Amino acid sequence: MAVKVWNPYLESYLEYIGQILPTYGEEHYGAMFRGLMDYYYVRDKCIKEYAFAIPNEEAIDTLIQYGPIVEIGCGLGYWARLVQDAGGEIIPYDANVNDKGMVKLYMHKDTYAQPHTRIFHGTHEVAELHSNMTLFLCWPPYENSMAHDCLQTYLQHGGQTVIYVGEGRGGCTEDDAFHDLLSEHMEVAKTVSIPVWPGIHDSLDVYVRKIV
């Protein structure tokens, strides 16, 4: 069992669910509208500060179990920081790191923020350098080839294990080409339920290479 670490993202989410969410869906239109506005504000704020997906203890334990990890497209490195704090080994990369170590926020193209840990600059090509590690992809961008390119490079150089956090085919992460490649070469070994924002359907899935 990994060391239990402080997870402010999860705390913010639980506070929202406990205090704000009960107003959402009330029959009174005004209360329902305020609930919707609160939801969008809180989720957007958390995404800017932490990540799209919400890690829990089991998710972090799973990453450590399958470590060492290389994460590509790590954003602000929140998941990576929790893994490090819990005693795991992970190398986080992102393509949008400037020379000061700041990371450009996804969907906020002109805004840079201080990451939660040191982020190394790298694209899908770095998967070649770490094919002996588990590849971690967390909420790869929607309708974008990044996840597919990472997985393809990783597999071409002998990679065996992928941990993917996101939605399924047709969801709001990655593209169909990624899922086609994943289905062709990998099979699910483990699924971990993580906290989800209303209307979002992500999970953590561990994939291992098919034996042929």
Side-chain angles (χ1 to χ4, degrees), residues 132-150:
N132 61 325
M133 303 170 73
T134 293
L135 173 63
F136 178 38
L137 299 170
C138 185
W139 265 73
Y142 175 62
E143 289 299 321
N144 186 293
S145 67
M146 188 276 280
H148 171 270
D149 295 343
C150 287

Side-chain angles (χ1 to χ4, degrees), residues 26-43:
E26 290 182 2
E27 292 183 0
H28 188 274
Y29 178 81
M32 184 173 69
F33 180 76
R34 287 193 299 275
L36 279 168
M37 294 304 293
D38 285 336
Y39 163 60
Y40 289 119
Y41 170 77
V42 172
R43 179 172 181 258

Side-chain angles (χ1 to χ4, degrees), residues 64-122:
I64 293 173
Q65 175 190 347
Y66 285 90
I69 302 289
V70 56
E71 181 180 7
I72 305 177
C74 68
L76 293 174
Y78 184 73
W79 282 65
R81 177 58 186 269
L82 294 189
V83 170
Q84 292 167 346
D85 287 350
E89 182 180 349
I90 184 168
I91 304 176
Y93 288 94
D94 198 275
N96 296 308
V97 183
N98 66 18
D99 56 4
K100 296 181 180 179
M102 305 285 280
V103 179
K104 186 183 291 187
L105 296 180
Y106 181 67
M107 296 178 65
H108 301 275
K109 299 300 185 181
D110 298 323
T111 303
Y112 282 82
Q114 182 69 44
H116 296 274
T117 189
R118 182 184 179 188
I119 308 299
F120 297 93
H121 182 272

